[in-house]
Amino acid sequence: MSEQIKLGDLTIFMQRKRVKHIYLRVLVPDGRVTLVAPIGIQLAVIHAFAVSKLPWIQKQQTKLQLQVREAPRQLVEHESHMLWGCHYVLQVVEKPAKPCVLLDQQSIILQVRPGSDVSKRTAVMHAWHKSLLHGVVPDLIGEWQERLDVSVSAYFLQQMKTRWGSCTPRARHIRLNTDLVRKPKNLLEYVVVHEMVHLLEASHNKRFVALMDRHYPAWREAAAELNQIPLSAVRPRG
Ligand SMILES: [Zn+2]
């Protein structure tokens, strides 16, 4: 019989067994947390143990999310790809012409030269992602420069392994993870605002939180969505 322990948003699936110690695991691939506890031990003790392990659990879950996010795409027919929070099916067309990417209702059509390998296809896709982001990021920055009364001297788009964005306040540069193109646009906006608020406050202190609360009240929901939603749970377009 499995019991559940709730710690805020986190559910831990618990089983009691003939063991000497409490064992806690974060499972691959979805980050589900399980706990095995000795039969006679009090629930309060298990609870306290689980609370003490919260930072570790969160770290493990973040690691898994990053792995999921970076699961390499083969860029082959029928593969599922996310764009602005919607699912698309990939179509690959081989043509002896300049590679390009087209979008229709439900498909992303990747046109490459015959015999193009994964790395070539990935490069074409990445360039397309960048061009899509370049199409929206300048307006977002422009709007938020006015609202926050700051100025960004340059922004950069790049693949990042562990974060969605970064800011170098002294140079007034912001960097955005190109994977943001897979997320709903409001989440891109949240990251842009977050990085731009760093021009007012460099660290994640109380003042930073207060600034976010004032300028972008939905930031907590956005951050949670950005870091926790499984891609499969994202609503289709429509
Ligand atoms: Zn930050």
Side-chain angles (χ1 to χ4, degrees), residues 193-225:
V193 176
H194 178 115
E195 301 312 335
M196 288 177 70
V197 165
H198 277 314
L199 298 173
L200 298 169
E201 175 55 60
S203 59
H204 295 139
N205 56 15
K206 272 189 188 161
R207 183 166 174 255
F208 181 87
V209 171
L211 284 163
M212 287 302 290
D213 280 341
R214 182 164 134 220
H215 294 288
Y216 201 88
W219 72 269
R220 284 184 181 81
E221 289 79 4
E225 196 182 343

Side-chain angles (χ1 to χ4, degrees), residues 48-233:
F49 175 85
V51 168
S52 76
K53 293 291 180 190
L54 266 179
W56 178 83
I57 292 170
Q58 275 154 3
K59 208 169 144 195
Q60 300 305 309
Q61 288 184 330
T62 305
K63 253 197 225 168
L64 283 174
Q65 280 154 17
L66 289 171
Q67 284 168 13
V68 168
R69 202 171 74 212
E70 287 168 11
R73 292 284 167 193
Q74 299 304 307
L75 292 148
V76 290
E77 281 280 296
H78 307 308
E79 200 171 53
S80 170
H81 283 255
M82 299 299 290
L83 186 71
W84 300 131
C86 302
H87 275 284
Y88 290 86
V89 174
L90 188 69
Q91 285 179 33
V92 180
V93 178
E94 296 198 331
K95 243 189 197 178
K98 191 172 184 269
C100 63
V101 186
L102 304 162
L103 191 64
D104 81 9
Q105 293 282 19
Q106 277 129 20
S107 324
I108 293 171
I109 302 152
L110 174 65
Q111 185 191 298
V112 289
R113 292 181 194 279
S116 291
D117 61 7
V118 181
S119 72
K120 179 65 195 166
R121 292 176 181 202
T122 304
V124 173
M125 197 68 158
H126 187 64
W128 183 61
H129 281 163
K130 276 182 136 175
S131 72
L132 292 173
L133 286 163
H134 282 307
V136 294
V137 168
D139 281 353
L140 274 176
I141 290 176
E143 181 190 336
W144 283 94
Q145 284 187 146
E146 278 185 32
R147 291 171 76 166
L148 298 171
D149 196 20
V150 295
S151 82
V152 172
S153 63
Y155 75 91
F156 304 92
L157 303 176
Q158 60 191 71
Q159 281 179 309
M160 297 172 150
K161 289 207 160 136
T162 56
R163 56 218 299 204
W164 291 108
S166 69
C167 177
T168 315
R170 215 185 305 165
R172 289 182 288 115
H173 288 171
I174 67 171
R175 279 165 214 284
L176 301 167
N177 190 328
T178 43
D179 263 2
L180 283 164
V181 80
R182 301 179 202 278
K183 301 289 182 178
K185 278 189 183 150
N186 67 308
L187 300 186
L188 167 66
E189 180 174 38
Y190 154 68
V191 175
V192 168
V193 176
H194 178 115
E195 301 312 335
M196 288 177 70
V197 165
H198 277 314
L199 298 173
L200 298 169
E201 175 55 60
S203 59
H204 295 139
N205 56 15
K206 272 189 188 161
R207 183 166 174 255
F208 181 87
V209 171
L211 284 163
M212 287 302 290
D213 280 341
R214 182 164 134 220
H215 294 288
Y216 201 88
W219 72 269
R220 284 184 181 81
E221 289 79 4
E225 196 182 343
L226 193 57
N227 294 306
Q228 285 169 19
I229 44 169
L231 293 182
S232 60

